Amino acid sequence: MLESISIPMDKKNLRKLRNQDNNPCLDESDASQQCLNVNSYDKSMCSNYFLRYKSCRKYWQNIMVLRRREGVKPDMPTAAEREEMIAAIGGKPY
């Protein structure tokens, strides 16, 4: 039987995960978690939410790679920059 391993999360790391500037997929993450809560953790009911989160992470990871390659700092655009980028392309591409 596999046991789950709990990794201690200090307040600094928790704040970092909940920070919109550090986590561009916070809304998608929250939606996935809410789906799990509503559906008694039946993952099969939330596959669309998981795919959207995965697509979001992939999209912003690619943006980070491009910015690093071009020497743009910071690697991850701020929340305000991301909103402008999304508005410029007419909405979220994921």
Side-chain angles (χ1 to χ4, degrees):
M1 184 163 85
L2 295 174
E3 293 181 27
S4 72
I5 299 173
S6 177
I7 299 173
M9 190 68 106
D10 62 17
K11 288 182 182 181
K12 181 180 177 185
N13 286 335
L14 186 58
R15 274 195 312 266
K16 187 175 180 181
L17 285 175
R18 299 298 308 165
N19 183 334
Q20 196 72 19
D21 279 334
N22 294 324
N23 186 352
C25 302
L26 189 58
D27 293 338
E28 290 77 7
S29 174
D30 289 346
S32 295
Q33 188 62 49
Q34 184 178 6
C35 179
L36 287 171
N37 289 339
V38 167
N39 292 296
S40 301
Y41 287 83
D42 181 358
K43 292 179 183 178
S44 66
M45 299 295 290
C46 302
S47 59
N48 288 338
Y49 291 96
F50 299 151
L51 288 173
R52 188 171 169 100
Y53 174 75
K54 186 176 180 180
S55 297
C56 177
R57 294 297 300 173
K58 185 176 182 179
Y59 178 81
W60 290 110
Q61 179 64 34
N62 289 336
I63 296 292
M64 285 178 55
V65 168
L66 288 172
R67 287 173 64 107
R68 268 190 221 121
R69 193 175 296 148
E70 295 170 358
V72 178
K73 294 289 181 183
D75 295 339
M76 175 61 71
T78 64
E81 287 178 299
R82 289 193 306 268
E83 285 180 24
E84 289 176 14
M85 293 168 73
I86 289 171
I89 60 174
K92 293 181 178 181
Y94 43 87

